[in-house]
Amino acid sequence: AAAAAAEECERRRRTEDEERCAATAIQAGFRGMQARKDTRELRAQQAAEREDGARQQREAEAAAAEAAAMAVAAAAAEAEQSRRTTAACTVQRSFRGYKGRQQAKALR
């Protein structure tokens, strides 16, 4: 009877050891799966943040390019206005000279 009890105790201990090892393996597998999932999510978040930073940089560059284009257009418009003003003054000066010469001719 004592030998049977000792054998039963040994069998229980081996069963408990096997269960403990099985539980440890299951837990390790779950923790590994969870770590891989967390890593994938972190990498996806980092990629999204990098894309967001790149998008913001592209938007800033586009805004700067638009501002530069507007400045060039404004300078061109100002130059055109100056050219037209100069041309109008030249026409007026020539016409007044012509009229003055006509009046001087009429007085002679």
Side-chain angles (χ1 to χ4, degrees):
E7 194 175 298
E8 177 66 21
C9 184
E10 178 65 23
R11 187 185 62 75
R12 282 187 193 155
R13 188 187 60 73
R14 273 183 284 166
T15 302
E16 287 174 358
D17 285 347
E18 289 173 356
E19 286 176 355
R20 209 174 292 118
C21 285
T24 301
I26 291 170
Q27 289 172 353
F30 178 79
R31 288 183 184 134
M33 179 189 72
Q34 192 66 39
R36 288 186 296 278
K37 178 183 173 191
D38 291 346
T39 301
R40 274 192 309 273
E41 290 174 356
L42 179 61
R43 286 184 178 161
Q45 180 183 4
Q46 289 172 341
E49 289 172 356
R50 280 192 304 272
E51 177 58 32
D52 187 43
R55 181 185 50 79
Q56 289 177 350
Q57 183 176 357
R58 285 191 305 269
E59 288 175 357
E61 289 170 356
E66 184 178 343
M70 290 176 66
V72 168
E78 186 176 327
E80 178 64 18
Q81 182 63 35
S82 176
R83 187 187 68 79
R84 287 177 182 232
T85 300
T86 301
C89 288
T90 301
V91 169
Q92 289 174 357
R93 185 177 56 242
S94 297
F95 183 74
R96 288 183 184 134
Y98 168 76
K99 290 300 267 182
R101 285 189 298 278
Q102 291 295 320
Q103 287 175 355
K105 192 177 186 182
L107 290 176
R108 285 189 217 161

